[in-house]
């Protein structure tokens, strides 16, 4: 899992700095490439010569090389790395990271880092237990950083041992587990529907809804990032909505009928489908060829039912295939979602309610409840990217 991975190892001024040699040895043994960035205090505990001998790379500590004035680019390091590990991380460095105090090369590298960041705190128990350290660690976690709790591998439930840096093998195992999880969809083909559908009334008007596609796109990126081959069937969304991962094959459609045709054709070759699109249940029975003109009379547009894509895929579903649906509700949320779960033969359904602030259409956040035939799990309001992770974690757990 670590083969070929590029790791920036940040070392700070703690007695546990000597253990970073063991971390480097294990990372390199597993095929990773390691670039050390050390704080001035870190150098009091371990020499750059030892570290550069182990990594076969010059150690970075200052913004400029003393010898030739070369500029060390923290931005490039941030782009180069697959992960940044700060081990040991002192209370001081944790505080600076949480508050953006960029007074050394390690903190500027952290602030420029595009890759996931892992932090292995190391300090005495009182410093670790102090509310300010705990608050800073919580802040860092809320920024999406991974804190490798001291003592999790051996003394998790006891306070004794807390504060002491986690053992090098457990730190490396945490990184390995992270990268393993990243590829847990390798070999899977996943169909995702996203966005609204437009049902034409005439050449200038349609029946539509407020779906932006954000939730569906977040699901597509999450699946592709974890190794799946993704087919994203996408209703009309804004031009700003672009996919990033090369394993996402996007098929644009406009109407529910078009989305149905594509999904029906693709589903047999998929391992799973996640139906996030807000599909219009009805479409005008007849589409006017020319723009309809205003008259003095009431206008009545007769609607016909659209195909129910989810129900059709639910009928087609073979053993081993998984089907996940969404339910966007405004009232009787759980009972409506339960009945859709059964009627459409979903493995589970993701309920979101417009009653919850920050949930549903257009927002960058969502608040969901996952309902399975066995029970339900409620989740907090989170960015849609994080919500996508929760949904895909559940899909993976379904086996
Ligand atoms: O796109 P965003 O702005 O980010 O908003 C996200 C979202 C609110 C659209 C999304 O989270 C969501 O809830 N999508 C489903 C909305 C919806 O249409 O729910 P529904 O309860 O009407 O449909 C139930 C399920 O059947 C859904 O999986 C839907 O995709 C599917 N369906 C519905 C009708 C139909 N004709 N065919 C279908 O496949």
């Amino acid at each position: 899992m670590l083969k070929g991975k590029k790791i920036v190892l940040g070392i700070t001024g703690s007695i546990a700095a000597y253990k970073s040699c063991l971390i480097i040895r294990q990372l390199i043994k597993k095929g990773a490439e390691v670039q050390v960035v050390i704080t001035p205090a870190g150098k009091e505990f371990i020499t750059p010569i030892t570290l550069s001998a182990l990594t076969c790379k010059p150690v970075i500590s200052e913004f400029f090389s003393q010898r030739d004035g070369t500029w060390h680019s923290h931005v490039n390091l941030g782009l180069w790395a697959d992960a940044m590990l700060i081990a040991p991380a002192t209370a001081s460095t944790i505080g600076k990271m949480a508050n953006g105090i960029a007074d050394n090369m390690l903190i500027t590298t952290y602030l420029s880092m595009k890759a996931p960041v892992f932090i292995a705190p190391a300090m005495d128990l009182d410093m670790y237990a102090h509310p300010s350290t705990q608050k800073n660690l919580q802040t860092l976690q809320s920024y999406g950083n991974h804190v490798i709790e001291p003592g999790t591998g051996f003394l998790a439930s006891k306070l004794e041992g807390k504060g002491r840096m986690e053992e090098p093998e457990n730190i490396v195992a945490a990184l390995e587990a992270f990268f393993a999880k990243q590829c847990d969809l390798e070999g899977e083909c996943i169909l995702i529907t996203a966005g609204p559908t437009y049902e034409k009334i005439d050449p200038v008007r349609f029946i539509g809804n407020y779906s932006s596609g954000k939730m569906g796109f977040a699901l597509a990126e999450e699946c592709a990032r974890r190794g799946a081959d993704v087919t994203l069937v996408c209703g009309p969304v804004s031009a700003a909505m672009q996919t990033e991962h090369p394993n996402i094959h996007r098929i644009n459609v406009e109407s529910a009928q078009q989305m149905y045709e594509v999904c029906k054709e693709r589903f047999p070759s998929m391992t799973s489908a996640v139906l996030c699109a807000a599909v219009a249940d009805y479409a005008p029975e007849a589409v006017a060829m020319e723009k309809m003109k205003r008259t003095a009379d009431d206008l009545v547009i007769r609607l016909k039912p659209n195909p129910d894509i989810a129900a059709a895929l639910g009928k087609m579903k073979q053993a081993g295939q998984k089907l996940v649906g969404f339910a966007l509700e405004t009232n009787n949320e759980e009972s409506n979602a339960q009945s859709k779960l059964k009627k459409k033969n979903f493995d589970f359904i993701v309920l979101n309610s417009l009653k919850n602030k920050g949930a549903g259409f257009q927002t960058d956040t969502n608040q969901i409840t996952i309902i399975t035939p066995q029970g339900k799990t409620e989740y907090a309001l989170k960015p849609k990217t994080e919500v996508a992770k929760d949904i895909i974690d559940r899909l993976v757990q379904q086996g």
Side-chain angles (χ1 to χ4, degrees), residues 193-196 209-217 219 237 241 256 259 274-282 306-313 324-329 336 340 344 346 349-354 359-366 368 384:
T193 65
N209 60 66
Y210 296 112
S211 173
S212 63
K214 285 180 186 171
M215 190 65 249
F217 275 57
L219 283 160
V237 291
M241 293 296 296
M259 191 174 270
V274 184
L275 306 179
C276 182
V279 184
D281 281 315
Y282 294 90
N306 272 330
D308 186 331
I309 303 165
L313 301 193
V324 176
F326 272 71
L328 177 66
E329 303 297 338
N336 288 339
K340 285 175 188 172
K344 305 195 186 211
F346 291 139
I349 192 159
V350 181
L351 165 65
N352 43 186
S353 168
L354 289 188
F361 290 131
Q362 301 202 340
T363 50
D364 289 328
T365 52
N366 206 358
I368 61 160
K384 281 183 174 161

Side-chain angles (χ1 to χ4, degrees), residues 263-286:
C263 290
K264 209 174 49 156
E265 197 236 313
R266 300 291 169 121
F267 187 56
S269 57
M270 298 287 146
T271 48
S272 309
V274 184
L275 306 179
C276 182
V279 184
D281 281 315
Y282 294 90
E285 204 170 57

